[in-house]
Structures are given as C-alpha cells and as structure tokens.
Amino acid sequence: MIGTTIEWYDFYLYATASALVFKPLFFPNVSSTAGTLASFATYAAGFGARPIGAVVSGHLGDRLGRKTVLVGALLLMGVATAAIGVLPTYAQAGVAAPALLAALRLIQGLAVGAEWGGAALLSVEHAPPGRRGLFGSFTQLGSPAGMLLATGVFAGTRIGLGSRAFLDYGWRIPFLLSIILVVIGLLVRLRLTDAEVFERLRRDGAQARLPVIEVLRTQPRNVLLTTGLRLSQIALFVLLTTYSLTYLDTVFGKGSQVGLIAVLISSALGFLSTPGWALLSDRVGRRPLYLFGAGAGVFALALFFVAAATGSAIAVVLAIVVGVNIVHDSMYGPQAAWFAELFDVRVRYSGASLGYQIGAVLSGGFAPLIAAALLSIGGGRPWLIVVYFAVLAAITFVSAHVARDTYRDDLGEHV
C-alpha cells in the first residue's frame, strides 16, 4: 500500500496538473479548447505506455518475482516525476517543453504499468483463505491515498502561494517532493518477500518461459474479460476526479476549489469504502458488486452533471462522493482479487497486468480527451459524455456477467 500510494501520488499529480496548469504553461499559443485537448492528450500518453509496461513487467514478474519488478517501477516513476518538476515551460524552451513533458509522461506510464500487477499479486498471494478481497484492497487503497496526497499537496501549495506564484513556480513543488517519497518507498519495498505460491514455482523451475505469449495462447478469454471489467471502472473514476476539475472550472469559474475539495473528500472516504466493498466481496462474491457498479455508473455520472448545473458546491461534492465511493468503489474494491484469481500462478502477473492496463488505455487514458471533445461537439451540453460512458458500462456489465466468480476458488498450484 505504501509503495503503491507513492506511485499513484506521482501519476495523479500529472493528472491534476494537466487539468489545472499545463495548458497555459506548455500550450499557451492555442485556443482554450485546443489547449485543454493538448493537455489531456499528454495525459493520455501515459496511459498509452501502460500496456508496454505491463508486458515487460509481466514477463519479468512471472520469471524473476514480484518484488524485483516493484522496486524498479518505483525508481523509474520517481525519476520521471522529479524531472517534470524541473522542466522548462513553453516560454523558456518553445516546442521542446511540451515534447519533454510528453516523454516524461510516457516513462510514468511504463512505471505504473509495472506497478499494479506486482502489488496486487503480492497482496492477494499472501492472503489467508477467504480474505483475498480484503488483502487485495490494500493495493487498491494506494489509489485514493495517492489521489488524496497529490490533490492535498497541490491544493495546499496553490492556496498557500496564491494563484500567481503557483503558476510561476509553485506547481513544481509537488513534483519535486516525489524524491522524498521515493526514498521512503524504497526502504519499504526492499524488505518485501515473494509469496510461498510463487517461491514454490521458482524452486520447481516451473516458470513460464514466455509468460505473456503463454497467457495470450492459453487464457485469452480471461485477458479480454479483465480488459472489459476495467473499462467503466477506470472511466468513471477519471471523469469524476480529473475531467471534472476542468468542467467545474467552466461552471464555477477559474480558481474554484470545488472540484479539488470534492476529490479530497471522496479520496479520504475511499479508505473506508474500498476495503468495505472488498470485504463484502469475500462474502457474496465479486460478480454481484461489479454488476451493481457497472449498472449504477451511468446514473452516477449523470447525477454529477445535474449537480454541476445547479451551481451548488454541496450538490457537486455529494455527487462525486456517490459516484466514487458508492458506485466506483464497488468495482474497484474487489478488483485486485478477482483479476489475480482468474489466472494461474505461472502467468498471473502477465495476465492480470495486461487486462488491467489495456483496459486503462482504452478507457481511462482517453476519457478526459473524448469528454472534452464531446462537450465541444454538444455545444457545451454534457449528455454526449454520458452516452459515451454508457457504452463502456454496458461492456463492463456483460464482462462481469460472463466472467467466472472466483471468490471461493483456491489460488492453485502451477500447472
């Protein structure tokens, strides 16, 4: 959880900055709409690199072990994030500035593509019987913890320095703080051990020679299903925690803190809702909760736009809390356990990572970009965004209905 929190802190810093500051700093000579699209395009680039990170880390994680890959991922993420904090802006370096920004975002994507699979597998493979959902949720808690930390540092720096100083130099501070966090994360990660189920596989010399190829050859259905299960979950989260910041700036005015406050509150509540839903999945199964989340997600997103239209900050906060903690977390809480359980130990890192990261790039990476474009096409009305999300939710609903519910299965020996 600690290591994953630091990874997500780094990743979400970029998401928050892309919504609030990167447009004037790195894309100043274009229209407001084009600048927003360009800023979210670099954000999407990080998602595009995640499947590559999943392939490389899946191979290494299934061959060498989960711990080794996790240490490397943390180092890679920390270096890229700190480097963003010292980048020149467009005014200082011209077109080289956004090019360097995009390159560092790609490195972030590679790192986070390696992160989740190893952290989820270590948590789930160490879990006692009947508690895999709960143990897996500690990996998932890294996301709200990282979001809370990133948003809190970003908001605190912005409020403390003021808008002018923050745009001049203050936005760099949260990125540079990553150096301290990475050192803490490394001290923790170097003490990790791989679970017995993988150690036994390694002692027997039974690792898959090419695990990514093997999982695509022997379990392609589960890779497709985990990809489908990911689509509406990550899209709902990104739309409510990243795109919402830009959207609410247009509704409440520039400099409004409504979106950041709502995200802070929902992130804090995630410490209860994420393990709560995961614990429930250990008792009733993963599938029922996922079906609920996929079905209710469309209504949750529509509720957010209705709340924003009222101009009430309280209504917006409540809508985001409902959408994230009640609806999104019903899918996110049991996700680590379900994805890990669907694959056997020989190819578990590769299979779980591929489904998770391919779904992320197909949905989460492009969701803010698509939403911004659809808002423009719809003349400022957001209902095309809801229709787009409804398609993703339908795919997730069908995937959850078809996938085997694995909460009572044994993680199993290698085959």
Side-chain angles (χ1 to χ4, degrees), residues 122-399:
L122 272 177
S123 300
V124 173
E125 289 178 343
H126 276 289
R131 287 291 181 268
R132 291 196 299 261
L134 178 62
F135 273 53
S137 72
F138 282 94
T139 295
Q140 307 299 78
L141 281 176
S143 178
M147 176 65 80
L148 182 65
L149 189 59
T151 308
V153 171
F154 210 89
T157 306
R158 190 182 191 187
I159 293 169
L161 294 177
S163 297
R164 179 68 176 270
F166 181 76
L167 198 61
D168 285 344
Y169 66 88
W171 66 273
R172 300 179 183 276
I173 295 173
F175 288 94
L176 294 174
L177 286 175
S178 175
I179 298 171
I180 300 172
L181 295 176
V182 167
V183 172
I184 296 171
L186 285 175
L187 292 175
V188 173
R189 290 219 155 152
L190 289 172
R191 300 179 64 184
L192 291 173
T193 58
D194 283 314
E196 176 61 25
V197 66
F198 180 80
E199 291 291 359
R200 190 180 306 120
L201 179 82
R202 183 157 50 190
R203 285 197 303 268
D204 293 346
Q207 301 104 308
R209 191 170 66 88
L210 296 171
V212 174
I213 301 299
E214 183 169 325
V215 76
L216 292 175
R217 180 176 58 83
T218 61
Q219 301 180 56
R221 181 176 183 272
N222 286 339
V223 174
L224 288 174
L225 288 175
T226 49
T227 299
L229 290 171
R230 185 82 161 114
L231 293 182
S232 72
Q233 174 265 308
I234 183 63
L236 182 62
F237 185 76
V238 167
L239 289 172
L240 290 178
T241 62
T242 299
Y243 175 73
S244 65
L245 301 181
T246 296
Y247 184 80
L248 291 172
D249 261 3
T250 66
V251 175
F252 287 87
K254 297 291 183 182
S256 169
Q257 303 296 320
V258 174
L260 287 174
I261 291 170
V263 171
L264 278 171
I265 292 172
S266 66
S267 297
L269 290 174
F271 285 97
L272 298 176
S273 57
T274 300
W277 283 112
L279 184 60
L280 183 60
S281 79
D282 282 330
R283 298 181 178 181
V284 304
R286 324 296 185 205
R287 181 190 291 130
L289 306 188
Y290 234 99
L291 290 173
F292 162 74
V298 180
F299 299 99
L301 185 61
L303 177 66
F304 163 73
F305 287 119
V306 170
T310 68
S312 167
I314 294 176
V316 168
V317 172
L318 288 174
I320 289 179
V321 166
V322 168
V324 173
N325 302 115
I326 295 178
V327 178
H328 166 268
D329 287 353
S330 68
M331 297 180 282
Y332 192 65
Q335 187 178 79
W338 202 5
F339 282 27
E341 291 162 351
L342 284 168
F343 299 93
D344 73 74
V345 66
R346 281 168 48 85
V347 295
R348 186 168 289 146
Y349 203 134
S350 298
S353 293
L354 278 174
Y356 187 88
Q357 303 300 354
I358 292 173
V361 67
L362 291 179
S363 178
F366 293 103
L369 184 63
I370 292 173
L374 290 175
L375 188 70
S376 179
I377 293 171
R381 292 181 294 273
W383 305 115
L384 285 177
I385 302 173
V386 178
V387 172
Y388 153 69
F389 177 75
V391 174
L392 300 177
I395 297 172
T396 295
F397 191 91
V398 171
S399 299

